[in-house]
Amino acid sequence: MNVLIISTSDIHGGAAIAAFRLMNALRAKGVRAKMLVRDKRSDNEYIMQAGGKIQNNLHFYGERGQIFLQNRLSRENLFDVSIANTGISVTRLPEFKRADIIHLHWINQGMLSISEIGEILASGKKVVWTMHDMWPFTGICHHAGLCARFHHSCGNCPYLKAPLENDLSHRIFRKKQTAYDQGKIEFVACSQWLGRLAEKSPLTTGRRVVSIPNPIDTQRYFPKNKEEAKQKLGLPANKRIILFAAVKASDKRKGMDYLIEAGKRLNNKEVLFLIAGTNGNEIAQQLPALSVNTGFVTPDRMPDLYNAADVFVTPSLQENLPNTLMEAMSCGTPCVGFNTGGIPEMIDHRKNGYVAEYKDADDLTQGLQWILFEADFRQLSENARKKVLSEYAEEIIVNRYLTIYAEQSQ
């Protein structure tokens, strides 16, 4: 079986990392899996870059420019939406022609156009699409928030400056319908939460939607001695460490404002905040407690950070099934997060972490306080690791995908 995974990137961003891990897990199982990307950042021999730098930049800026023009020259929400009006012609590539299964992941920002998705479906190949956000079943947005217009055919989009019934979101929605009708497609949601939302969209009507979480290598992310991990990173052994990590730590959607507020309310001299991600200094400077900003951390170094931490916090306002949460739990580190998206599917409240009320800084603070100073840490840690081993380990996830691939082959 030849599987071609298509993704915008290989290791940049949570969706890309999830796709990359799946490819490696499939290959370990003996499947001939490769990955086709626009933005290659690893040296993995099974990752193929499609298109040249100039061509790919034209696709990227061509889409962003069109959104800018269509939205009355406004930069607001410029990266909250995608229209996929341009992209790479993958159906002409030898790798595509050799593949038995085409497995789409996050393919926005110039990787695939909607028209090309139609061409992929029209090829008659078996197509599986793992959804990492809501874009595959909405008009243009990646996260609809409280908007339910995608239950019909979008229009009157809150992300647009001039929302109308027949606005950009509605037109792209109809374009997707036409493309999806070109062939058969099976949707996979990374969380049950996303799967339930997808089933409400006409874009999935008559098509199967299943929920399969992202895989994780539990042999790479595993519990280590916490004191040794702190010493290795040069962190004080007498501090309780709260870890926050995101590719862009200052992204408002990652909840930095709530993290800062919780830090102010916690205000404990025994606590140290460890911030990992670009622009982390924007958070560190506003925290009253001692803080360390590591900047961007490569994936191979993250297990040390998770093991050095006493709790991992993810105050994200929009999440599907965050890799960081899974990684921390796999290292036996209890987690705190808001009750949103797929987070409550991962954190079992007061069993392996704490699920705080959405956008409630007081409850977020309570969760951190409880794990650090009140709960049975050893039990929380053991429960977190067990949850990952039983539900997210690579072997389990790969077998579920192999079942889908086989069903698609019938």
Side-chain angles (χ1 to χ4, degrees):
M1 179 189 296
N2 292 307
V3 177
L4 181 63
I5 293 173
I6 300 180
S7 169
T8 300
S9 182
D10 50 355
I11 57 172
H12 183 66
I17 290 172
F20 182 79
R21 288 175 177 169
L22 178 61
M23 183 203 71
N24 288 331
L26 286 167
R27 294 199 65 84
K29 194 76 172 177
V31 177
R32 293 184 296 274
K34 292 186 177 182
M35 197 168 172
L36 184 67
V37 303
R38 187 206 74 193
D39 175 25
K40 180 176 179 179
R41 303 200 179 193
S42 73
D43 57 1
N44 190 292
E45 62 180 310
Y46 301 111
I47 308 292
M48 298 160 291
Q49 183 163 0
K53 184 176 181 180
I54 294 177
Q55 178 192 27
N56 290 338
N57 283 340
L58 287 174
H59 290 315
F60 174 81
Y61 289 110
E63 181 187 30
R64 293 306 114 185
Q66 189 62 231
I67 294 170
F68 180 67
L69 292 172
Q70 291 282 334
N71 204 21
R72 298 194 171 186
L73 306 184
S74 172
R75 291 181 58 86
E76 188 177 358
N77 303 322
L78 185 58
F79 288 93
D80 293 317
V81 302
S82 293
I83 59 174
N85 62 318
T86 183
I88 300 166
S89 292
V90 300
T91 52
R92 302 177 183 178
L93 300 177
E95 293 81 9
F96 181 90
K97 294 177 181 179
R98 284 193 292 265
D100 302 303
I101 305 290
I102 304 299
H103 194 156
L104 307 180
H105 281 259
W106 201 87
I107 45 76
N108 296 109
Q109 297 188 359
M111 180 63 206
L112 293 182
S113 66
I114 295 173
S115 297
E116 187 65 12
I117 293 172
E119 291 293 324
I120 290 171
L121 292 170
S123 72
K125 291 184 181 288
K126 302 143 191 83
V127 180
V128 177
W129 193 346
T130 294
M131 303 178 291
H132 295 275
D133 59 29
M134 297 175 67
W135 189 84
F137 58 87
T138 67
I140 60 176
C141 71
H142 293 276
H143 293 281
L146 298 177
C147 177
R149 299 286 298 177
F150 70 90
H151 292 185
H152 305 288
S153 57
C154 287
N156 285 316
C157 180
Y159 283 102
L160 299 177
K161 287 294 184 182
L164 299 167
E165 283 291 333
N166 191 36
D167 62 18
L168 183 64
S169 70
H170 176 77
R171 297 196 300 274
I172 297 298
F173 193 99
R174 292 302 187 194
K175 189 175 181 180
K176 286 182 180 179
Q177 284 185 313
T178 300
Y180 293 1
D181 285 343
Q182 299 304 305
K184 296 181 179 180
I185 184 170
E186 183 156 3
F187 291 103
V188 176
C190 294
S191 66
Q192 296 174 30
W193 164 80
L194 189 67
R196 290 191 295 269
L197 290 175
E199 290 174 341
K200 296 178 180 179
S201 171
L203 292 173
T204 66
T205 300
R207 299 176 175 92
R208 188 181 177 198
V209 178
V210 297
S211 297
I212 301 178
N214 297 325
I216 185 170
D217 184 352
T218 56
Q219 300 302 310
R220 181 180 179 187
Y221 292 88
F222 66 94
K224 301 178 183 177
N225 182 280
K226 198 162 290 295
E227 286 70 29
E228 291 178 1
K230 289 181 179 180
Q231 184 178 20
K232 182 178 180 179
L233 295 173
L235 299 171
N238 62 340
K239 297 291 184 181
R240 306 290 178 91
I241 295 178
I242 299 173
L243 172 63
F244 169 74
V247 174
K248 184 180 179 182
S250 61
D251 187 340
K252 292 288 186 179
R253 292 170 297 187
K254 295 299 180 182
M256 61 172 283
D257 292 337
Y258 292 92
L259 178 64
I260 293 168
E261 186 60 33
K264 292 177 180 178
R265 299 184 187 196
L266 193 61
N267 197 19
N268 190 308
K269 293 182 179 179
E270 295 182 47
V271 170
L272 180 148
F273 281 87
L274 184 60
I275 312 297
T278 56
N279 299 338
N281 59 308
E282 294 184 25
I283 300 174
Q285 292 172 358
Q286 299 181 63
L287 289 167
L290 181 65
S291 61
V292 173
N293 171 35
T294 67
F296 177 76
V297 178
T298 56
D300 61 298
R301 291 178 51 217
M302 282 305 299
D304 289 330
L305 272 70
Y306 291 125
N307 276 287
D310 297 284
V311 61
F312 178 80
V313 60
T314 176
S316 293
L317 307 181
Q318 297 175 345
E319 279 294 356
N320 182 13
L321 201 80
N323 288 332
T324 50
L325 200 61
M326 190 183 299
E327 293 163 359
M329 292 174 65
S330 190
C331 292
T333 301
C335 300
V336 177
F338 282 137
N339 187 4
T340 185
I343 289 176
E345 297 174 28
M346 305 179 76
I347 301 176
D348 298 317
H349 188 51
R350 291 183 179 268
K351 293 182 179 179
N352 56 33
Y354 191 99
V355 181
E357 291 298 318
Y358 187 57
K359 291 187 176 181
D360 188 333
D362 277 332
D363 204 23
L364 190 69
T365 307
Q366 174 58 36
L368 295 171
Q369 173 74 26
W370 181 73
I371 289 178
L372 290 175
F373 302 107
E374 301 169 21
D376 182 340
F377 181 86
R378 183 187 295 271
Q379 190 62 59
L380 288 176
S381 177
E382 290 179 358
N383 290 345
R385 175 69 175 175
K386 287 178 181 177
K387 176 73 176 272
V388 173
L389 290 174
S390 64
E391 297 188 22
Y392 308 131
E394 286 182 346
E395 181 76 12
I396 295 172
I397 303 306
V398 165
N399 286 338
R400 293 185 66 181
Y401 271 116
L402 288 176
T403 299
I404 288 180
Y405 294 163
E407 290 172 348
Q408 286 283 101
S409 298
Q410 295 175 357

